[in-house]
Amino acid sequence: MSDPLTLNQRFVLASRPVGAPTPENFRLEREALPDLEDGQVLLKTLYLSLDPYMRGRMSDAPSYAAPVQIGEVMTGGAVSRVEDSRHPKFHKGDLVVGLTGWQSHSISDGRNIIPIPSGLPSPSMTLGVLGMPGMTAYMGLIDIGQPKEGETLVVAAASGAVGSVVGQVAKIKGLRAVGVAGGADKCKYVVEELGFDACIDHKAPDFAEQLAKACPNGIDIYYENVGGHVFDAVVPLLNPKARIPLCGLIAGYNASEAPQGPDRLPMLQRTLLTKRVRIQGFIVFDDYGDRQPEFISHMVPWVRDGKVKFREDVVEGLEQAPEAFIGLLEGRNFGKLVVKVAQD
């Protein structure tokens, strides 16, 4: 009988979605993992991160990273425990984080994993506020946003893993922070728990008017996670020399055709020109991987001192990953979305 530690459950890409992903785009498989070779470690997944970028990897359209191939394990960051090791740098019981995918176990040669420091309230923090989303928030705001005390920042998806950190760091830097989120509960959390100055519900029929009222001095930095009608409401409020870190466009990730309505491009181009607005896209580890120590040196003390708070939306069980991911793209999650795959 096989050792149960070598039996792996994994979700592979069964088909490419047209529009919004469906459960049929994913297939749960079981496989027996081979014995370890020298230089390898066996990992047991504890927490799996679900993030909007994964939608792009399901498509074969040209992008900044290669798509997941049909039949391949869905890509994703995860916290894992070393169950067995034939690698000199990793030992049984070590906790690590890396891109090991949507699966219960994996075998690594050590190049795609890094150790997790001890003493964290939860190792899953390395998937959120101390991981890729937190670093994305920090580098986009600090390097592209160039925040200056007294300025006004607006951030979309303000209760999410990236947006929540953007606004809190902006407050640390002395800015007025205005969030945009979906629903009264999320907006209340953003203001009362995270300390934003205001938060506007993008579902409100008078959203654009409310946003303008919350930004009486215009917008100096717009941290873009969403696109769509939120961006439409922001553009008229941009100040001269505003900066737009372009992190994501989740409103259009499931789009299968061009948006309806008038062509907004000429108006946007005129705004960018006449107000000398800078808009810059970035991929955090490609562009800022060498600055991870800088991020950690700032974020860990802020988290420890309660200056940056975080919230997780935890889903139990690997089998729930597809439905949770579909909900993520619809805005159903509240906080950083992680799947608890096994007990830590």
Side-chain angles (χ1 to χ4, degrees):
M1 182 178 294
S2 298
D3 184 333
L5 290 179
T6 66
L7 295 179
N8 182 36
Q9 293 188 83
R10 63 181 197 168
F11 273 106
V12 303
L13 183 63
S15 59
R16 300 202 184 280
V18 177
T22 67
E24 290 70 33
N25 296 134
F26 307 91
R27 182 172 66 247
L28 182 61
E29 297 183 342
R30 291 173 174 81
E31 63 173 357
L33 294 178
D35 293 334
L36 290 183
E37 299 178 358
D38 288 340
Q40 292 183 328
V41 293
L42 173 65
L43 303 173
K44 182 174 184 177
T45 305
L46 303 181
Y47 296 95
L48 168 66
S49 177
L50 296 180
D51 300 284
Y53 78 84
M54 296 172 178
R55 175 60 182 86
R57 300 290 179 84
M58 297 176 74
S59 170
D60 59 1
S63 186
Y64 63 88
V68 177
Q69 297 300 314
I70 301 298
E72 280 189 345
V73 177
M74 280 292 298
T75 187
V79 169
S80 302
R81 182 173 60 230
V82 176
E83 296 293 294
D84 195 8
S85 177
R86 295 182 65 178
H87 192 292
K89 293 184 179 180
F90 298 96
H91 307 283
K92 186 174 182 178
D94 287 351
L95 295 181
V96 298
V97 62
L99 288 171
T100 52
W102 294 27
Q103 51 188 343
S104 64
H105 297 78
S106 60
I107 291 176
S108 171
D109 62 6
R111 287 183 291 183
N112 66 332
I113 56 174
I114 58 174
I116 292 177
S118 59
L120 298 180
S122 170
S124 60
M125 292 173 64
T126 57
L127 301 174
V129 66
L130 298 181
M132 181 272 289
M135 185 169 168
T136 298
Y138 176 87
M139 295 310 313
L141 176 61
I142 298 300
D143 192 70
I144 300 173
Q146 297 286 312
K148 301 175 183 64
E149 188 172 355
E151 291 187 325
T152 295
L153 164 119
V154 172
V155 58
S159 67
V162 174
S164 62
V165 176
V166 169
Q168 291 179 88
V169 174
K171 290 301 297 179
I172 291 171
K173 297 296 182 180
L175 279 72
R176 174 175 173 81
V178 177
V180 175
D185 289 343
K186 289 182 178 180
C187 286
K188 182 178 180 181
Y189 166 75
V190 166
V191 173
E192 296 185 2
E193 295 295 325
L194 301 184
F196 284 49
D197 296 284
C199 187
I200 312 302
D201 182 357
H202 68 77
K203 299 178 181 179
D206 60 342
F207 164 68
E209 291 79 5
Q210 288 192 41
L211 182 64
K213 188 175 295 184
C215 303
N217 297 318
I219 298 172
D220 300 294
I221 304 172
Y222 174 54
Y223 196 106
E224 177 64 289
N225 291 314
V226 173
H229 76 283
V230 175
F231 185 69
D232 291 344
V234 164
V235 171
L237 305 177
L238 292 171
N239 286 331
K241 297 189 177 181
R243 290 82 69 196
I244 304 177
L246 179 54
C247 169
L249 296 166
I250 193 171
Y253 285 173
N254 289 333
S256 56
E257 59 183 22
Q260 300 298 310
D263 182 2
R264 302 175 180 86
L265 182 58
M267 183 271 289
L268 173 60
Q269 290 176 317
R270 180 174 178 79
T271 300
L272 296 179
L273 173 63
T274 58
K275 292 189 176 179
R276 293 149 290 164
V277 173
R278 182 175 71 171
I279 181 169
Q280 181 178 333
F282 68 104
I283 307 302
V284 66
F285 287 120
D286 287 0
D287 296 326
Y288 299 110
D290 60 335
R291 292 176 64 177
Q292 189 169 21
E294 172 192 340
F295 158 68
I296 291 295
S297 70
H298 286 90
M299 193 58 65
V300 169
W302 287 339
V303 171
R304 185 183 60 230
D305 296 342
K307 293 181 178 179
V308 172
K309 300 176 183 178
F310 69 98
R311 175 172 177 150
E312 292 181 328
D313 191 336
V314 181
V315 176
E316 298 277 349
L318 180 64
E319 66 279 3
Q320 303 299 324
E323 188 60 38
F325 176 67
I326 292 168
L328 169 70
L329 297 176
E330 297 173 351
R332 281 190 249 148
N333 63 298
F334 195 161
K336 173 69 190 87
L337 184 59
V338 296
V339 178
K340 188 171 185 179
V341 179
Q343 296 295 323
D344 57 358

